């Protein structure tokens, strides 16, 4: 196992960040798709289901808290920030085991919610640590492809959690589905144990005092310096403009995705298991291939150009598809819309995340990137919560049209920014 060194192998980097995101995706697909659809199918109203979804996602909005903590104590003999990854993976798996106490999700909603929320806390810290490691060890020329593998791993994990565990939930019961998830999380934790960031990293930590100079960089940065540099970095005007566009796009995607799934189950009376399987299985392989291709394009053409294409393309799709909502009762039309919309979040992520990584500064990369992701996750959580209440007064097609107008408008903003950057700088001539 001594040859498993991230800095020395591009293939290992692709594989490692792929499976780490598979690990994150399985509980996300299970909790936020399979269980949410199951609760909807059991007749719980939209506000209750939306509140459950928002609560499970809430810890992911606190990543701006984890980032400085991770950067403050980033050095260890087993690898920079690796101790955070291993510890939180293990605790997340333990939290998943608590789900084994749930026998009827609808009647034990509070216990199930508590287990999912505790898991989300540790999983969000693990995610922040993994992202910081990726920024530190992945060369800039590989970031598009690595992000494609990361989002592809999350997609595959979400597919397994949504479709696979939904099938198990309906066929064998909640206990068996939760057990499979817990075993998978523990297996991935063991795999992470054997991956080194640097060749000099140890697999097993030492608990006795280390001799001077034994650690690669023992002077962890002060907290005050971390926050000062973080505020300076995210407050830069260009950074704020770029991130605002990305965050608002994620918000619109989350609003329509949640509203459309609820519409299929509650209004069109689809079986919740069928929606979960469609969201998590069909088209996943094609989506994964598309994401890898998108990662290559992001590295070759530039992530900014790809972001413009994705924003305008998906915004236009929303306008057209929601304008044809009178055809949604035809199952092939509704299925096609669901499959295409499964491409929205991963397609945007392949383009947007390399851009955000490129904005991150050394030594605060964990804090800065996790702040961005916390705000993105806040958009998703806010979107699901607000949508649950909004569906009481406005239909899913109406929400989709509104989101489509906003996303197309954001695409136009990106195009205009590019045109302004391409304009030649006026030449100033001295008076004679």
């Amino acid at each position: 196992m001594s040859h498993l060194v991230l800095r020395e192998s591009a293939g290992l980097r692709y594989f490692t960040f792929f499976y780490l995101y598979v690990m994150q995706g399985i509980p996300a697909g299970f909790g936020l798709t399979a269980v949410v659809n199951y609760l909807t199918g059991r007749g719980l109203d939209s506000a209750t289901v939306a509140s459950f979804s928002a609560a499970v996602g809430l810890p992911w909005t606190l990543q701006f808290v984890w980032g400085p903590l991770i950067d403050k104590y980033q050095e260890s003999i087993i690898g920079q920030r690796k101790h955070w990854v291993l510890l939180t993976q293990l605790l997340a798996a333990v939290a998943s085991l608590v789900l084994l106490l749930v026998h009827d999700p609808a009647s034990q909603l509070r216990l199930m919610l508590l287990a999912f929320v505790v898991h989300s806390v540790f999983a969000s810290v693990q995610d922040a640590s993994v992202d910081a490691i990726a920024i530190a060890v992945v060369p800039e020329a590989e970031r598009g492809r690595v992000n494609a593998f990361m989002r592809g791993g999350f997609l595959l994990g979400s597919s397994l959690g949504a479709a696979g565990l939904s099938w198990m939930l309906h066929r064998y019961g909640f206990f068996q589905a939760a057990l499979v998830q817990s075993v998978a999380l523990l297996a991935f934790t063991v795999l992470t144990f054997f991956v080194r960031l640097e060749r000099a990293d140890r697999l097993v930590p030492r608990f006795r005092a280390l001799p001077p100079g034994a650690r690669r960089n023992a002077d962890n940065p002060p907290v005050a310096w971390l926050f000062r540099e973080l505020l300076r970095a995210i407050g830069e005007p260009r950074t704020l403009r770029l991130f605002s566009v990305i965050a608002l796009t994620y918000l619109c995607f989350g609003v329509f995705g949640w509203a459309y799934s609820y519409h299929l189950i509650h209004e069109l009376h689809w079986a919740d298991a069928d929606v979960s399987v469609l969201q998590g299985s069909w088209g996943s392989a094609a989506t994964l291939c598309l994401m890898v291709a998108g990662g290559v394009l992001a590295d070759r053409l530039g992530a900014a150009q790809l972001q413009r294409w994705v924003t305008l393309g998906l915004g236009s799709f929303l306008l057209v598809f929601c304008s044809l909502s009178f055809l949604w009762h035809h199952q092939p039309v509704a299925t096609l819309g669901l499959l295409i919309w499964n491409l929205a979040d991963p397609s945007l992520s392949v383009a947007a995340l390399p851009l955000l990584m490129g904005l991150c500064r050394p030594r605060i990369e964990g804090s800065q990137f996790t702040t961005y992701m916390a705000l993105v996750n806040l958009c998703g959580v806010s979107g699901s919560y607000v949508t649950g209440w909004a569906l009481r007064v406005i239909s899913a097609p109406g929400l989709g049209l509104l989101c489509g107008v906003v996303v197309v408008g954001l695409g136009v903003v990106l195009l205009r920014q590019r045109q302004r950057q391409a304009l030649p700088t006026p030449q100033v001539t001295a008076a004679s």
Side-chain angles (χ1 to χ4, degrees), residues 253 256-261 264 268 270 275 278-279 282-283 287 314 317-318 320-322 324-325 327-345:
F253 286 4
F256 177 70
W258 204 96
Y260 188 54
S261 297
L264 291 177
L268 299 183
W270 284 31
V275 176
L278 282 172
Q279 288 176 312
W282 299 108
T287 303
L314 290 173
F317 168 78
L318 271 181
V320 173
F321 185 64
C322 293
L324 300 175
S325 60
L327 297 176
W328 288 4
H329 67 279
H330 296 291
Q331 187 169 353
V333 175
T335 300
L336 179 62
L338 188 62
L339 295 179
I340 292 177
W341 195 247
N342 284 344
L343 302 175
D345 181 275

Side-chain angles (χ1 to χ4, degrees), residues 64-135:
F64 68 92
V65 177
W66 318 141
L69 182 64
I70 292 167
D71 282 344
K72 168 61 180 173
Y73 301 103
Q74 60 185 263
E75 300 295 342
S76 77
I77 198 169
I78 66 172
Q80 191 178 45
R81 302 186 180 93
K82 182 184 173 183
H83 52 294
W84 285 107
V85 177
L86 276 176
L87 176 63
T88 52
Q89 282 182 344
L90 181 60
L91 293 174
V94 172
S96 179
L97 290 172
V98 177
L99 291 172
L100 300 179
L101 301 175
V102 177
H103 303 289
D104 181 9
S107 63
Q108 295 178 279
L109 188 61
R110 290 186 177 181
L111 176 60
M112 182 177 65
L113 177 61
L114 176 63
F116 271 116
V117 169
V118 172
H119 172 273
S120 292
V121 170
F122 295 123
S124 66
V125 181
Q126 185 247 12
D127 176 60
S129 307
V130 169
D131 289 340
I133 290 174
I135 296 171

Side-chain angles (χ1 to χ4, degrees), residues 385-395 399:
Y385 183 77
V386 172
T387 303
W389 293 93
L391 285 173
R392 293 182 171 184
V393 295
I394 186 172
S395 66
L399 282 174

Side-chain angles (χ1 to χ4, degrees), residues 27 33 63 92 113 131 135 139 142 153 170 174 187 200 254 259 265 269 299 319 365 420-422:
T33 299
Q63 286 182 305
L113 177 61
D131 289 340
I135 296 171
E142 291 181 10
H170 287 85
F174 186 86
I265 297 171
H269 308 294
D299 285 336
L319 292 177
E365 57 263 72
R420 284 198 297 268
Q421 293 171 357

Side-chain angles (χ1 to χ4, degrees), residues 417-430:
Q417 286 181 350
R418 180 197 178 192
Q419 292 170 354
R420 284 198 297 268
Q421 293 171 357
L423 290 175
T425 303
Q427 299 295 323
V428 179
T429 58

